[in-house]
């Protein structure tokens, strides 16, 4: 839908040829179709990039056709103007943390994606948490002046496939569950902000395929009713250890499935998998019927590979470490931006189970606890950490499977900037380690100087006293063991979660050991420093 534009305030005498001539005169992309109405028109281009080029050239430029100044914007029905907006004409040199700070003034930003275009200025798609916040951002950011650049802001399509699948009072998803005899779970809260949401379907192979078809039919119906022109692909998640056998020698298995079902199938790169996410995404494109036929063939191959592994290991599948193979994920696609905010590192939508033998004993894995850490880096290092157009910080977040954001400056001459890192303990270790290394490699510290940064972690307010210890004994011993400086500021007011900050200053491993030890104290009141010395000493 992002390739369709609305052109308004047209004179009754304007023809289709007049509009095409306007685009040709300005050397703009050629319109594929023009639907002319009385006083306005809908213009379709081949892709979003072409539409953005036209908007960039004509929006707000007082372009006239037959003596009337035209109005041009995305074609988005009012009922679909919700939480998502697009900002264009952003200065290419504008730092990302400045833009993030500006966007945050109007509400909670769930997602920001840079759109790759051929324009000289930058374009981003932004998703706010509510439609009221998006409306305020549209009103305040439109014509926002930054140096010699004037922002252009538009609503973009906010299709609610998830809402359509659930239905009013949950009736639609209940109907899917009943007709296919499947257990269907939509994971909305644990993937807040992701452009696509996973749905887990547990059933027999026949039940999963039937549920998959019904969900795709619902999405196609929703797309048709909103006149969406984008294809709706079927996306299947599979563990990396199974994908090779799906592809087959020289790609023969995959090619045969494509030929037999009339679909086009691609698989995400092996380089995209991480320690935290061993899944790869199988994307199936074609008609609804052909995608459903391909789903049966793909899951059949994956099931065979899975069962062979079970037989080879001579153990129950739910006991196989590191492999959640009792469910297979399929992503049914909203044509949206990648979210940097999902624990797996890729955006998700629906999921279908494919192992009929162990569905009844499937035990969902508990999600690892998320931690929030504030890391303070030299102000002059912010640009290097972000990288050109934010590429370095995005890559770092992807590798670590963590959310990494740079907070706005607290003052004009502050020597440090706060980096907010959200993720599991493993993600924290990797993200912070990469930041320490980046500062060292880019010579923000001298060759002989050790990189020492200040870190703020949160602990329950009830644990603060235990961290300090009687007469400061515990915190002193911890500092002696790690060579880090640990400060528990007094007279803190606990936050809404009844937590307070602990400040740690030191080199990477010292800070990590301190943080882990302090977290341990927060969870286990009976913990004693003497029991932790063995663990600490390994890092010295």
């Amino acid at each position: 839908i992002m390739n369709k534009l609305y052109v308004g305030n047209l004179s009754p005498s304007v023809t289709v040829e007049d509009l095409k001539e306007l685009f040709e005169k300005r050397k703009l992309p050629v319109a594929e179709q023009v639907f002319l109405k009385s006083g306005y028109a809908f213009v379709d281009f081949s892709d979003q990039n072409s539409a953005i080029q036209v908007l960039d050239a004509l929006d707000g430029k007082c372009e006239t056709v037959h003596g009337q100044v035209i109005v041009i914007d995305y074609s988005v029905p009012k009922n679909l103007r919700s939480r998502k907006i697009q900002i264009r004409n952003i200065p290419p040199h504008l730092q990302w943390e400045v833009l993030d700070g500006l966007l945050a003034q109007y509400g909670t930003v769930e997602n920001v994606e840079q759109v790759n275009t051929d324009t000289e200025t930058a374009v981003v798609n932004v998703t706010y948490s509510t439609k009221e916040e998006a409306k305020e951002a549209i009103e305040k950011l439109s014509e926002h002046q930054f140096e010699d650049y004037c922002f252009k802001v538009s609503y973009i399509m906010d299709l609610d496939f998830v809402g359509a699948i659930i239905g009013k009072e949950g009736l639609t998803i209940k109907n899917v569950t009943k007709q296919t005899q499947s257990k269907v779970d939509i994971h909305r809260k644990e993937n807040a902000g992701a452009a696509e949401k996973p749905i887990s379907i547990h059933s027999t192979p026949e039940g999963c395929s039937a549920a998959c078809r019904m969900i795709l039919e619902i999405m196609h119906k929703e797309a048709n009713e909103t006149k969406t022109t984008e294809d709706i692909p079927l996306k299947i998640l599979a563990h990396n250890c199974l994908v090779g056998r799906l592809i087959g020698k020289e790609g023969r298995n995959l090619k045969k499935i494509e030929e037999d079902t009339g679909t086009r199938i691609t698989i995400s790169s092996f380089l995209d998998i991480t320690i935290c996410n061993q899944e790869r995404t199988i994307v199936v494109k074609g008609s609804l019927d052909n995608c459903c036929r391909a789903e049966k063939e793909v899951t059949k191959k994956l099931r065979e590979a899975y069962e062979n592994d079970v037989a080879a290991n001579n153990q129950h599948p739910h006991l196989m470490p590191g492999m959640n193979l009792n469910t297979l994920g399929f992503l049914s696609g909203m044509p949206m931006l990648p979210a940097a905010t999902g624990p797996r590192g890729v955006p998700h939508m629906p999921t279908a189970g494919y192992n009929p033998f162990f569905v009844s004993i499937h035990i969902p894995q508990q999600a690892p606890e998320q931690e929030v850490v504030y890391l303070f880096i030299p102000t002059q290092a912010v640009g290097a950490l972000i990288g050109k157009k934010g590429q370095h910080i995005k890559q770092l977040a992807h590798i670590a499977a963590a959310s990494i954001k740079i907070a706005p400056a607290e003052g004009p001459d502050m020597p440090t900037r706060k980096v907010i890192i959200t993720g599991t303990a493993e993600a924290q270790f990797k993200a912070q380690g990469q930041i320490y290394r980046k500062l060292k490699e880019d010579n923000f510290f001298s060759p002989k100087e050790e990189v020492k940064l200040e870190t703020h972690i949160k602990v329950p307010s009830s644990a603060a006293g235990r961290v300090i210890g009687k007469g400061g004994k515990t915190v002193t011993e911890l500092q002696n063991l790690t060579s880090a400086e640990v400060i528990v500021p007094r007279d803190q007011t606990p936050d809404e979660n009844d937590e307070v900050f602990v400040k740690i200053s030191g080199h990477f491993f010292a800070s990590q050991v301190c943080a882990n030890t302090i977290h341990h104290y927060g969870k286990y009141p009976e913990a004693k420093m003497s029991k932790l010395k063995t663990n600490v000493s390994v890092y010295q």
Side-chain angles (χ1 to χ4, degrees), residues 55-63 69-72 143 152:
L55 282 173
D56 189 58
L58 301 179
D59 185 17
K61 302 295 174 63
C62 297
E63 192 72 36
V69 178
I70 64 171
V71 175
I72 188 165
E143 306 302 324
K152 302 297 179 184

Side-chain angles (χ1 to χ4, degrees), residues 111-122:
N111 203 16
V112 179
E113 179 210 26
Q114 183 175 4
V115 181
N116 293 322
T117 71
D118 294 331
T119 59
E120 294 181 0
T121 53

